Amino acid sequence: MVRHAGRKKSRSGVIVILAASVMLAACSAGGRGGKEEKESVVASEPGKYPVRAEETLTSWEPMDTNLSAFVTNLADSPFGKQLEKETGIKVKYTHPADGQSKDQFNLLIASNNLPDVIEYNWSGGNGSYPGGPEKAIADKVIIPLNPYIDKYAPNLKKLLEQDKELDKMIKTDSGNYYVFPMIRPENGLVFRGPMIRKDWLDELKLDVPVTIDDWYTVLKAFKERKGAASPFSALYQNEFNIQDAFIGAYKTANRYYIDDGGKVRYGPVDPQFKEALTLLRKWYAEGLIDKDFALNTDSKSLDTKMLNDSTGATVHLLSGGMGRWMDTGKKKNPNFQLVAAPYPTLTKGERPFIGQRDFKYNPAASKAVSDASKNPELAVRWLDYAYGEKGSLLFNFGTEGDSYTLNNGTPAFTDKIAKDGKYTLQQMISQYTKPNGPYLGDSRKNFNTFKQQDEALKIWSETDAAKHVMPQFITPTVEESKEIAKLNTAITSYKEEMFIKFVMGKEPLDKFDEYVKRIKEMGIDKVTKIYQDAFDRYNKR
């Protein structure tokens, strides 16, 4: 739980909090929006760079794990130096330790010593700021950005005017803009899905599986004829990370989702979820699913199984999985080949109900300006650079002539980046760009090194996920968020405990109705209604 130390003691009552947040949002003539704002802003015109600011900004943000092989701080990377040169703004970065962002964020908030800018998930979903952006504004942790975007962020303002869908995504129901967003390009929305050893399929004279029955045939063959100890495996991070593969074949999901009627549902209590559990239990009992799947909490364990022929199929990332394993596997075995499989269905020719598909706005890698910032105008101008033409090229491709060249106006990574003998393309480019963060993603950026990856993107995109994935940026009210926080943690914990027991056979599936009853007693209908109300409000923005 996030604690706000001395901040919180001075705040009493939801009415006062909400009134304060509305006043902040509307403020454009006084306080930050008036005379004080004009005096603190640097002299040059918004949208013109370099600014040549005298002040140094501070930014708290995760550092890409690939970059840690070269430097310990973003400021020391070629990207950090080039960003400072092009914007004229010096920034001091603080990076939470890898895997400890949430804990260190909580400590940061409790410290009452906030930097100018914080990159975090403010949306209020799982693993984000409790209560969401309205609560963060009410807690005086971050500020509404409306007057600042209007005056000092011409690049983002133009994008929001052109893209009303994006505009809806990055503000609250009351109209407060709260972040500078990470914006994915259209070809960056799908990047994870089922993949399988094609060289094994060829050897066994089997086709890429499409239906649930196909998968059963293939996994049995992998076990019996290839000797695979774990024919199918996947990461387990808070849940079995299969992106609803197999489960989606039964028209449900292992999470909240939107049904065909536009209603929010909690998949794990659907009657058909029992059918999905029955399938996974059968496969687990027959040794087709990794018996230690719940222990695969980091990528190293899955790497080992995929590369030592213990596992022949998984659900994982396009670059960080398929591309990386192909690159490594082929060095040991030239025949090693992974290809995408469609999200499985019960019937051949049926369109998959759900799969992995994100939205253009990625809340997890977006930046807010803190209420403690002494110069929010400068922070906003620094952040806005990423949404202009030059800034977008820097964030996506790096420095022209060094990490990329322009060929007839099209950026292409240089051999220095793409063909380094020691480091992968992703490792090299992490020095010159910001792989994740608040900027406008470029569809011309492509980390794929194998044609199988390009094909995978097309195959995994053929689902109805766009209709059924619940947005993570809907914004429950402060009171609603408190109710969700009170109920959801216990519900999710119990659901996951029972999911593992059902699949592993430690609890009989005869207890499914009892399990559903327990989740209902824990308040799932209340949570679902809150999400439904928030989803309806989002659709009306």
Side-chain angles (χ1 to χ4, degrees):
M1 178 180 290
V2 176
R3 294 181 174 85
H4 302 288
R7 288 176 181 275
K8 202 167 184 178
K9 293 178 184 176
S10 64
R11 292 169 215 120
S12 61
V14 175
I15 294 174
V16 175
I17 285 172
L18 288 175
S21 68
V22 171
M23 286 173 64
L24 278 167
C27 179
S28 60
R32 292 195 185 280
K35 182 179 177 183
E36 178 185 325
E37 182 179 71
K38 291 177 182 175
E39 289 176 351
S40 64
V41 73
V42 287
S44 62
E45 181 184 344
K48 301 294 184 183
Y49 300 89
V51 172
R52 306 297 180 203
E54 294 182 5
E55 288 185 45
T56 296
L57 293 175
T58 51
S59 178
W60 187 95
E61 57 187 84
M63 190 172 81
D64 186 80
T65 52
N66 287 314
L67 181 58
S68 61
F70 306 97
V71 295
T72 58
N73 194 281
L74 190 62
D76 299 323
S77 69
F79 168 80
K81 292 174 183 177
Q82 188 67 19
L83 180 61
E84 180 180 335
K85 178 182 176 182
E86 292 185 17
T87 61
I89 301 170
K90 187 175 181 63
V91 179
K92 182 179 179 181
Y93 299 91
T94 300
H95 305 298
D98 182 34
Q100 297 178 33
S101 289
K102 185 175 181 180
D103 290 341
Q104 293 190 21
F105 172 81
N106 290 346
L107 291 173
L108 176 74
I109 298 300
S111 73
N112 266 349
N113 185 24
L114 301 181
D116 293 288
V117 172
I118 306 172
E119 183 177 315
Y120 197 67
N121 187 349
W122 302 95
S123 69
N126 186 33
S128 62
Y129 190 88
E134 289 283 24
K135 185 71 163 58
I137 290 169
D139 288 342
K140 294 193 180 299
V141 173
I142 64 175
I143 61 172
L145 295 169
N146 303 46
Y148 300 99
I149 291 174
D150 194 48
K151 291 184 179 181
Y152 303 112
N155 294 319
L156 180 60
K157 182 180 178 181
K158 182 179 178 182
L159 282 176
L160 297 179
E161 288 173 345
Q162 293 172 340
D163 189 339
K164 294 306 178 186
E165 182 186 16
L166 177 66
D167 184 78
K168 277 173 59 174
M169 290 177 176
I170 70 164
K171 63 186 178 187
T172 65
D173 295 325
S174 64
N176 284 325
Y177 295 106
Y178 60 97
V179 287
F180 278 76
M182 176 175 175
I183 308 171
R184 291 189 176 99
E186 183 62 31
N187 63 350
L189 304 183
V190 175
F191 46 82
R192 186 191 294 261
M195 61 188 77
I196 195 160
R197 285 286 295 271
K198 181 65 164 60
D199 50 319
W200 286 11
L201 292 175
D202 291 345
E203 181 185 335
L204 299 171
K205 294 182 171 51
L206 294 169
D207 294 328
V208 173
V210 173
T211 66
I212 293 292
D213 288 344
D214 293 342
W215 271 92
Y216 180 69
T217 298
V218 165
L219 295 179
K220 286 272 285 184
F222 282 3
K223 183 168 189 65
E224 295 169 359
R225 297 167 61 188
K226 288 299 298 179
S230 309
F232 180 90
S233 188
L235 281 182
Y236 183 92
Q237 293 170 328
N238 301 315
E239 65 173 47
F240 200 23
N241 297 161
I242 57 175
Q243 301 299 309
D244 293 321
F246 311 117
I247 295 170
Y250 298 92
K251 305 290 192 294
T252 184
N254 191 22
R255 66 202 74 253
Y256 296 96
Y257 71 97
I258 310 297
D259 70 12
D260 287 330
K263 298 299 181 185
V264 176
R265 299 183 67 95
Y266 186 57
V269 297
D270 283 343
Q272 65 269 34
F273 197 79
K274 183 179 180 180
E275 297 178 64
L277 287 173
T278 302
L279 175 84
L280 295 175
R281 181 191 182 102
K282 172 182 167 64
W283 287 6
Y284 183 87
E286 294 186 21
L288 307 184
I289 293 177
D290 184 358
K291 64 180 175 60
D292 297 321
F293 75 84
L295 301 178
N296 294 332
T297 55
D298 62 62
S299 59
K300 289 180 182 177
S301 56
L302 186 57
D303 288 349
T304 300
K305 288 169 183 176
M306 288 299 297
L307 294 171
N308 72 2
D309 294 345
S310 294
T311 291
T314 188
V315 175
H316 205 47
L317 296 166
L318 186 66
S319 295
M322 179 181 282
R324 189 163 54 85
W325 291 328
M326 287 268 281
D327 190 55
T328 305
K330 280 186 173 294
K331 292 174 183 175
K332 178 181 174 183
N333 172 10
N335 293 322
F336 186 99
Q337 185 182 176
L338 287 165
V339 294
Y343 278 87
T345 56
L346 289 179
T347 308
K348 191 171 185 178
E350 189 179 3
R351 188 172 173 85
F353 179 79
I354 199 167
Q356 183 272 320
R357 182 182 176 87
D358 276 17
F359 295 83
K360 66 176 71 176
Y361 164 43
N362 177 9
S366 299
K367 279 192 170 88
V369 177
S370 85
D371 189 77
S373 177
K374 293 179 180 176
N375 196 341
E377 303 85 4
L378 184 63
V380 164
R381 294 185 64 180
W382 177 65
L383 290 167
D384 191 54
Y385 184 69
Y387 303 91
E389 185 178 358
K390 282 193 69 178
S392 182
L393 282 169
L394 172 61
F395 276 73
N396 283 283
F397 299 101
T399 305
E400 186 178 0
D402 192 2
S403 60
Y404 78 95
T405 56
L406 283 173
N407 303 323
N408 296 321
T410 302
F413 292 125
T414 59
D415 287 350
K416 170 183 175 180
I417 301 298
K419 297 182 180 179
D420 184 84
K422 184 177 179 182
Y423 296 106
T424 65
L425 170 62
Q426 283 185 302
Q427 287 175 315
M428 289 298 293
I429 201 58
S430 70
Q431 301 176 82
Y432 295 87
T433 68
K434 189 164 169 55
N436 290 295
Y439 62 91
L440 179 62
D442 194 313
S443 61
R444 298 170 296 180
K445 180 170 64 176
N446 189 340
F447 289 147
N448 295 348
T449 50
F450 298 95
K451 71 179 189 319
Q452 290 89 342
Q453 291 172 281
D454 294 326
E455 292 164 358
L457 178 60
K458 297 172 187 173
I459 292 168
W460 296 339
S461 296
E462 291 297 319
T463 73
D464 280 337
K467 291 194 291 187
H468 296 130
V469 173
M470 189 176 82
Q472 293 299 301
F473 38 78
I474 57 175
T475 53
T477 65
V478 172
E479 281 303 302
E480 287 173 340
S481 295
K482 287 179 182 175
E483 189 75 4
I484 289 172
K486 185 172 74 175
L487 301 174
N488 233 358
T489 302
I491 289 170
T492 303
S493 177
Y494 174 68
K495 183 275 295 185
E496 200 51 42
E497 174 191 344
M498 293 302 292
F499 178 92
I500 292 174
K501 287 181 176 179
F502 282 141
V503 172
M504 290 186 171
K506 294 180 180 178
E507 286 282 2
L509 281 165
D510 290 346
K511 286 194 173 182
F512 184 79
D513 291 345
E514 184 182 317
Y515 144 87
V516 170
K517 182 183 176 187
R518 172 86 183 275
I519 290 183
K520 287 185 178 293
E521 289 171 349
M522 294 170 84
I524 191 61
D525 291 339
K526 288 183 184 177
V527 179
T528 302
K529 184 180 186 307
I530 288 171
Y531 280 138
Q532 183 70 58
D533 291 344
F535 184 59
D536 291 343
R537 291 195 303 268
Y538 169 77
N539 286 329
K540 291 175 183 175
R541 286 180 191 170

